[in-house]
Structures are given as C-alpha cells and as structure tokens.
Amino acid sequence: MDRRKFLKQVSLWSAGIIMTPPVFDLTPELLASSLIKPDVLVAKGENYFGMVTQVVQAMGGIQAFVKPGDKVVIKPNIGWDRNVEQGANTHPVIVSRLASLCLDAGASKVLVFDRTCNEERRCYHNSGIKSALKEIRDKRLRLEYVDDRKFVPVTIKNGKALKQWSFYKDALEADCYINVPVAKHHGLSGLSLGLKNVMGIIGGWRGRIHYQLGEKLADLNTVIKPGFTIVDATRVITRNGPQGGDMDDVKKLDTIIGCVDPVAADAYATTLFGLKPDQIKSTVEAYKRGLGQMDLDKCNIRNLKALQA
C-alpha cells in the first residue's frame, strides 16, 4: 500500500472534501518481512533513565527511527488515576527520556497523549507524566488531551473481526509512532501489553472492542505499526488489572523491554507473568496477521548489561 495515498485520504476526509472514510489496505504479503528474527532487548535495574537510553542505542540509536523534522508520537498508557507506585500507567521517567531522545534527534514536534479511562486531568497529573515532561522545557514537546474532533474513520479492508473504526489523526500521520505500554494484568485480555495499548488512540465506544477482543486488537494494529515498542515492566500489576490500586497486586520487576517487532515485545513480556505467548489471544491473532514473531525461539533475546542506579 502507498502510505502517502492513505494519508492524503485522511487529510481530505478531515477537511470535509471527501465523505468516504479512508481505506487502509495492507495485505499479509506486505507484512511478511515482520517475521524475520527480531532482537528483543531486555534491560534490568533501577536506573530507568539509563536503561531507556541503553535499549534505544542497542536498537541502532534514536536516529534510526527519528529524522530531523519528523513529527513523533509517543503513546504511553496514561489511562488511570493512579500514582507511579501503583503500576497502572507507564513510568514517567521512561516517557520523558524517550521524549528527550526524540528532541535531540531533531524532531520538529513530539506529541504525547492517551485517551484515558478515568478523568484525563487527574490521570495526566497523578501518573507523574505531566510534571516529568514539563521539566524538559522545549516548545516542540506537547502533552495533549485527546480532542474528539480529531478521530478519523478508517476502513480496514483486510480486517477479520473489525472492518472499520476511528483512529486519532495525529497517530495516523506521525512520521514515527513509539509505543510505550506498561505491562499488567487485564481481566478480559489476560494481559495488557503493547498491542492492547492501541486502545488509547481509537475513538468510538470501546466497549464494542471487548467482544472478540484478541481478533479486533490484531485488526487495529494492522493500521498503526510502531517504529519500535518499549514495554515498561518496572512495576507490573499481577492481578485485578488494568486499573489496579492495591499495592499488594504490584510486583517490582525493574525491567524494560525494547523491540521493533510489537508481537515479539508482547511475547517476551508475557513470560514475566509466568505465561506463554500463545496464551494471549491478541498475540496469537497478530502473529496470524503477519504483524510479527511470537515464537521466542525464533527471536534474539539480548539481556543488556545491568546499569548502576
């Protein structure tokens, strides 16, 4: 598929020039390259700032993904009115370090946002992400609340369970989309990881997605493919997720996972919960769509040298 043609349709629809929703037509053949043996980078320790840098450098450096003048979207999980220790949201140090790296690479704009489940202002504040990004003091960096007027309906031509849904325009148009989920238990999907994080950039009534959840998450992830994924497993909710709240449900793992393959990232993160990748429906369905590799024996698992705190 010609991405420029798709983005032109997005722009024309947003301007009211065309009435037909943009069509995303990506066939499995074009996704076959995702099944090469990917590197899964694993960093452990309490120096989260340094670990993010270490993981990104091991992937080839931020310049491999962000070019001067690029518009970058960083998509963490900021969905819940929870503090850092409760583990429901992405750790603010991880988000702020990624933002700084993108700015250093010459990004013209770095946007951070999430369509929250709890009240957005409380989520942004209590997660610690708002204050962490404010410290960077760069006008190119913006933490934004989601604007419902910016959702664009997209026809998913090769969708299996989902043929159309609306996506946030900034996510669709980003030159580099960076997925930064927090790893945690989820009552419906088993786990909430990278593929599940797409829920924060879609519009409409998300309750509909929860029926045939694994299949629909895979369909949504055919439209949005990150440049790379960083999974925050510094603190994970082991039960009563995704919102959590009880500190007895939180386990401190001090782990960060990085991969250009979103399926492989989820597959490895699953093992941190004592589960196998094939036990998570969204991972299986994404693998079937050709979105990445779920067989960890066909991945290069690289445990990076531990850093001093």
Side-chain angles (χ1 to χ4, degrees), residues 84-99:
V84 176
E85 287 72 24
Q86 290 171 308
N89 302 304
T90 307
H91 198 287
V93 170
I94 296 174
V95 180
S96 63
R97 182 54 183 151
L98 283 170

Side-chain angles (χ1 to χ4, degrees), residues 263-283:
V263 181
D266 276 16
Y268 183 85
T270 299
T271 66
L272 301 179
F273 294 82
L275 300 173
K276 296 180 179 179
D278 62 9
Q279 292 179 263
I280 305 302
K281 187 70 172 178
S282 58
T283 304

Side-chain angles (χ1 to χ4, degrees), residues 180-225:
V180 199
V182 63
K184 55 185 175 178
H185 170 262
H186 192 283
L188 293 175
S189 61
L191 294 176
S192 178
L193 301 166
L195 296 169
K196 180 71 166 56
N197 204 35
V198 75
M199 296 289 282
I201 58 165
I202 63 170
W205 177 43
R206 291 180 293 187
R208 273 188 56 205
I209 301 295
H210 291 138
Y211 172 70
Q212 289 185 289
L213 180 58
E215 293 92 334
K216 290 177 179 177
L217 287 177
D219 288 336
L220 293 169
N221 276 276
T222 63
V223 178
I224 297 290
K225 190 174 187 303

Side-chain angles (χ1 to χ4, degrees), residues 16-295:
I17 297 173
I18 61 173
M19 301 302 294
T20 304
V23 177
F24 191 87
D25 182 8
L26 190 58
T27 62
E29 290 77 13
L30 293 175
L31 294 167
S33 61
S34 298
L35 296 176
I36 61 175
K37 193 169 186 177
D39 288 337
V40 179
L41 304 159
V42 184
K44 294 180 179 291
E46 295 186 340
N47 182 357
Y48 303 157
F49 181 98
M51 289 157 61
V52 171
T53 307
Q54 184 184 36
V55 167
V56 172
Q57 287 178 341
M59 287 191 289
I62 195 65
Q63 293 81 7
F65 307 97
V66 178
K67 308 303 180 186
D70 277 358
K71 175 184 173 183
V72 179
V73 166
I74 296 175
K75 171 55 180 73
N77 191 319
I78 329 175
W80 305 100
D81 179 10
R82 293 286 184 256
N83 62 38
V84 176
E85 287 72 24
Q86 290 171 308
N89 302 304
T90 307
H91 198 287
V93 170
I94 296 174
V95 180
S96 63
R97 182 54 183 151
L98 283 170
S100 293
L101 289 171
C102 293
L103 293 168
D104 290 345
S108 62
K109 184 182 293 186
V110 178
L111 301 178
V112 182
F113 54 82
D114 192 12
R115 185 184 174 197
T116 65
C117 297
N118 295 150
E119 201 278 322
E120 57 188 6
R121 287 165 180 80
R122 294 184 62 85
C123 293
Y124 279 36
H125 176 76
N126 290 335
S127 67
I129 290 175
K130 182 177 181 178
S131 59
L133 294 180
K134 189 175 181 180
E135 291 179 4
I136 295 176
R137 300 183 183 279
D138 191 311
K139 292 182 179 179
R140 293 174 293 162
L141 172 61
R142 294 167 59 182
L143 176 66
E144 296 186 341
Y145 298 121
V146 165
D147 181 348
D148 288 340
R149 296 170 297 180
K150 295 176 74 173
F151 284 104
V152 179
V154 174
T155 298
I156 309 171
K157 188 171 182 180
N158 293 292
K160 304 297 184 183
L162 205 59
K163 296 297 184 180
Q164 186 178 97
W165 205 266
S166 60
F167 292 79
Y168 206 58
K169 185 180 179 184
D170 287 328
L172 292 172
E173 293 182 336
D175 296 304
C176 180
Y177 178 87
I178 303 173
N179 194 25
V180 199
V182 63
K184 55 185 175 178
H185 170 262
H186 192 283
L188 293 175
S189 61
L191 294 176
S192 178
L193 301 166
L195 296 169
K196 180 71 166 56
N197 204 35
V198 75
M199 296 289 282
I201 58 165
I202 63 170
W205 177 43
R206 291 180 293 187
R208 273 188 56 205
I209 301 295
H210 291 138
Y211 172 70
Q212 289 185 289
L213 180 58
E215 293 92 334
K216 290 177 179 177
L217 287 177
D219 288 336
L220 293 169
N221 276 276
T222 63
V223 178
I224 297 290
K225 190 174 187 303
F228 63 90
T229 296
I230 298 285
V231 180
D232 171 14
T234 58
R235 290 165 177 78
V236 303
I237 297 175
T238 58
R239 56 185 180 272
N240 298 317
Q243 183 172 1
D246 189 336
M247 289 304 299
D248 289 340
D249 296 336
V250 179
K251 187 175 182 180
K252 191 168 181 285
L253 296 182
D254 292 330
T255 300
I256 294 175
I257 303 155
C259 193
V260 296
D261 181 330
V263 181
D266 276 16
Y268 183 85
T270 299
T271 66
L272 301 179
F273 294 82
L275 300 173
K276 296 180 179 179
D278 62 9
Q279 292 179 263
I280 305 302
K281 187 70 172 178
S282 58
T283 304
V284 174
E285 291 298 325
Y287 170 75
K288 288 179 179 179
R289 306 287 197 283
L291 296 179
Q293 180 59 259
M294 65 173 282
D295 185 347

Side-chain angles (χ1 to χ4, degrees), residues 285-304:
E285 291 298 325
Y287 170 75
K288 288 179 179 179
R289 306 287 197 283
L291 296 179
Q293 180 59 259
M294 65 173 282
D295 185 347
L296 293 176
D297 289 335
K298 296 180 180 178
C299 300
N300 296 314
I301 312 298
R302 295 175 54 193
N303 292 292
L304 305 179

